[in-house]
């Protein structure tokens, strides 16, 4: 079945870059998403990438997609304390139902 | 991006009562909405897909008689947790399907005593 995996924790110092990784199994994925969730809040879409792209950059965020290895990463440049949150990757396949499969989430802690 | 609201944001109820959670798309019409459940420090688990004007499609293992979903209009879907028990305590999040992405509500924290 479909499965999306992420490492559970990441700790970085303020000003450094953060790289959050995600692996997925559904090769028919069309869109891949990165969401941010702060404590007690809903999900905020950060960025998404279409499956025929290798890279997408949006200000401090860079998404890299290796479709062969089914590996997705999110790089946050100049990480700030306000970036501390849980980050979820999600994939959407060709199922026609628009269902998302969410990753397990990576808790990012930014140290001042 | 589009706005999706949920009401209430928090609810505390006694065991055995039913609780209704509303999900509204405020500035667009959504034929498809989704309901997720999130346990503490865990990922989102899709419970069901709510289609306007038709029955919801439930994921495996989700009791349809326990979690009643109604999608009576293009801007409103409701989730009713019937005969709630403490194990139903969770964070429930809805989303509304847009052209390329789902727009998520802020979530409802349900606590069943």
């Amino acid at each position: 079945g479909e499965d999306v995996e992420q490492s559970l924790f990441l700790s970085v110092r303020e000003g450094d870059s953060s790289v959050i990784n995600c692996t997925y199994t559904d090769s028919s994925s069309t869109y891949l998403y990165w969401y941010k969730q702060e404590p007690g809040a809903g999900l905020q879409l950060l960025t998404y990438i279409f499956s025929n792209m290798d890279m997408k950059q949006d200000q401090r965020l860079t998404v890299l997609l290796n479709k062969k290895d089914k590996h997705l990463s999110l790089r946050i440049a100049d990480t700030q304390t306000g970036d501390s949150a849980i980050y979820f990757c999600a994939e959407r396949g060709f199922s026609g139902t628009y269902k998302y499969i969410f990753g397990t989430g990576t808790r990012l802690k930014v140290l001042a | 991006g589009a706005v999706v609201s949920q009401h209430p944001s928090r609810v505390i109820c006694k065991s055995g009562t039913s609780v209704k959670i509303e999900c509204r798309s405020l500035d667009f019409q959504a034929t498809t909405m989704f309901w997720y459940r999130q346990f503490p420090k865990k990922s989102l688990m899709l419970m069901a897909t709510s289609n306007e004007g038709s029955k919801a499609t439930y994921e495996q293992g989700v009791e349809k008689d326990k979690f009643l979903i109604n999608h009576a209009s293009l801007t409103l879907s409701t989730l009713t947790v019937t005969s709630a028990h403490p194990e139903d305590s969770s964070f429930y999040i809805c989303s509304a399907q847009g052209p390329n992405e789902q727009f998520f509500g802020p979530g409802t924290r349900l606590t069943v005593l």
Side-chain angles (χ1 to χ4, degrees):
Chain A
E2 300 155 336
D3 201 13
V4 183
E5 296 285 338
Q6 297 177 238
S7 52
L8 291 179
F9 299 101
L10 176 65
S11 180
V12 300
R13 294 202 176 276
E14 193 174 19
D16 288 350
S17 292
S18 307
V19 179
I20 303 170
N21 296 301
C22 171
T23 57
Y24 60 98
T25 57
D26 186 359
S27 58
S28 67
S29 294
T30 52
Y31 289 91
L32 295 136
Y33 303 84
W34 282 104
Y35 284 89
K36 176 183 180 183
Q37 185 181 35
E38 299 191 51
L43 273 68
Q44 174 194 354
L45 177 66
L46 293 176
T47 186
Y48 65 88
I49 188 168
F50 192 55
S51 59
N52 67 354
M53 298 168 64
D54 298 324
M55 186 184 91
K56 181 178 180 181
Q57 186 156 2
D58 184 0
Q59 298 181 340
R60 292 192 297 126
L61 305 179
T62 303
V63 179
L64 295 178
L65 175 60
N66 182 326
K67 197 171 182 182
K68 173 176 169 288
D69 294 338
K70 300 191 187 70
H71 182 266
L72 181 74
S73 68
L74 173 70
R75 178 177 180 270
I76 305 172
D78 187 25
T79 314
Q80 303 297 306
T81 54
D83 295 324
S84 294
I86 302 175
Y87 291 80
F88 292 97
C89 64
E91 63 169 351
R92 172 188 150 187
F94 267 120
S95 65
T97 63
Y98 302 104
K99 282 168 56 173
Y100 284 16
I101 305 297
F102 278 88
T104 46
T106 299
R107 185 177 295 271
L108 173 65
K109 184 174 182 179
V110 182
L111 305 172
Chain B
V3 179
V4 175
S5 70
Q6 278 184 245
H7 178 79
S9 57
R10 288 180 177 271
V11 56
I12 300 172
C13 69
K14 291 183 180 179
S15 188
T17 60
S18 294
V19 175
K20 180 186 282 188
I21 303 169
E22 292 185 348
C23 177
R24 293 182 185 273
S25 57
L26 297 183
D27 49 5
F28 72 107
Q29 294 182 328
T31 55
T32 302
M33 291 184 173
F34 300 90
W35 286 96
Y36 295 85
R37 183 173 179 177
Q38 186 180 29
F39 291 99
K41 300 184 181 180
K42 297 291 185 183
S43 187
L44 279 74
M45 180 191 79
L46 179 65
M47 298 173 67
T49 303
S50 171
N51 300 297
E52 186 268 336
S54 64
K55 290 183 179 179
T57 304
Y58 289 82
E59 295 298 301
Q60 193 172 11
V62 178
E63 299 175 61
K64 59 181 68 175
D65 294 330
K66 172 78 171 174
F67 299 100
L68 300 178
I69 291 171
N70 184 280
H71 194 156
S73 78
L74 288 171
T75 59
L76 173 64
S77 175
T78 60
L79 168 69
T80 301
V81 183
T82 63
S83 187
H85 287 92
E87 58 265 30
D88 299 323
S89 298
S90 194
F91 194 54
Y92 293 87
I93 302 177
C94 74
S95 70
Q97 180 64 47
N100 293 319
E101 63 182 279
Q102 291 180 26
F103 297 95
F104 286 82
T108 296
R109 183 159 304 282
L110 170 63
T111 303
V112 185
L113 303 177

